[in-house]
Amino acid sequence: MQYPAAPWTLKGYAIQTLHLVDIDQVRSLIPSELNLFSLWPGKAIASVYLSYYSSDSVMEYSELIVALAVTADKGFGGWISHIYVDNENSVAGGREIWGLPKEYAQFTWQEKSVTVHQGNQNLCTLNFSQPNFAWRQTLAAPGFSKLDHNLLTFTAKFEGLMGFVGANLEVPNTSPFSSVGFNQPFLTVRYDQMILQVDAPKVISH
């Protein structure tokens, strides 16, 4: 497989949903070095992130990320429990650079929906509206991962237009991440004209 060294610069658009889920259902999805961030007693924050990165990116591909908000000695961030892309080079790079559990999947994008599946298995479908208003924003989102028993941290830097949208998420019981217990999102954000830079990871503990 051939993939560029980090950082990766990715350009395109994305939709992200935020959900409150039961802590007891998702505790087993994070390593012991991390703690779930609780916004409400007994509830953790889970996110579904669906994106398309265009040919202007280091690689062209679509991506599905399931993440949980966590805390560690080095601060707050996201732990990616499931991640799928439709580019084998991205699979290899994600696994070998960041230690992410990337798998190959297929994506079907339509004007107001996206479906992700692996062969005959439907992973999820997200239906969404268009934003009525969007504003330009820059953000930096920290993340954690593990590679060769090392706990890593890395930063994803975002620049682009943000707008709130309505959304409906469908996760079949047969989906690998149905155990997260997704209900409908309490917030959904669409990112357009997006430039995302994912930095190289740093080891924070062995």
Side-chain angles (χ1 to χ4, degrees):
M1 297 296 171
Q2 295 182 348
Y3 52 83
W8 285 8
T9 300
L10 304 161
K11 300 180 181 181
Y13 56 86
I15 302 156
Q16 184 175 21
T17 63
L18 297 176
H19 309 254
L20 290 177
V21 297
D22 291 339
I23 284 180
D24 291 341
Q25 284 190 243
V26 297
R27 195 184 305 274
S28 63
L29 297 176
I30 68 169
S32 59
E33 300 95 324
L34 302 175
N35 298 300
L36 288 162
F37 175 77
S38 180
L39 189 65
W40 194 261
K43 296 292 184 179
I45 299 175
S47 171
V48 172
Y49 171 91
L50 283 147
S51 59
Y52 166 73
Y53 306 126
S54 69
S55 57
D56 293 334
S57 309
V58 294
M59 284 180 284
E60 181 179 5
Y61 63 95
S62 295
E63 184 166 59
L64 162 63
I65 294 175
V66 176
L68 296 161
V70 296
T71 60
D73 292 340
K74 298 296 182 179
F76 172 86
W79 171 263
I80 296 174
S81 61
H82 301 78
I83 178 169
Y84 304 86
V85 296
D86 58 0
N87 183 310
E88 293 286 8
N89 290 318
S90 177
V91 171
R95 286 178 171 271
E96 295 170 16
I97 297 174
W98 290 278
L100 298 173
K102 280 192 178 183
E103 297 184 29
Y104 186 85
Q106 296 83 33
F107 291 71
T108 303
W109 288 93
Q110 297 180 342
E111 184 180 358
K112 294 184 179 181
S113 71
V114 54
T115 298
V116 187
H117 53 96
Q118 285 184 309
N120 295 325
Q121 184 180 51
N122 182 16
L123 303 185
C124 72
T125 298
L126 181 67
N127 300 293
F128 52 87
S129 61
Q130 299 297 325
N132 294 320
F133 174 75
W135 67 97
R136 188 159 296 278
Q137 182 73 48
T138 57
L139 297 170
F144 299 98
S145 59
K146 291 193 81 171
L147 180 63
D148 297 333
H149 304 292
N150 293 322
L151 184 65
L152 311 178
T153 185
F154 58 91
T155 302
K157 301 171 184 174
F158 161 86
E159 177 184 347
L161 295 175
M162 288 179 56
F164 298 123
V165 299
N168 175 268
L169 178 67
E170 300 171 9
V171 181
N173 291 334
T174 54
S175 174
F177 49 86
S178 65
S179 62
V180 176
F182 285 108
N183 48 22
Q184 292 309 310
F186 68 83
L187 183 68
T188 305
V189 183
R190 178 173 173 119
Y191 309 101
D192 285 297
Q193 301 178 22
M194 180 176 70
I195 302 175
L196 183 68
Q197 179 177 296
V198 185
D199 290 340
K202 298 177 182 177
V203 177
I204 56 175
S205 69
H206 298 282

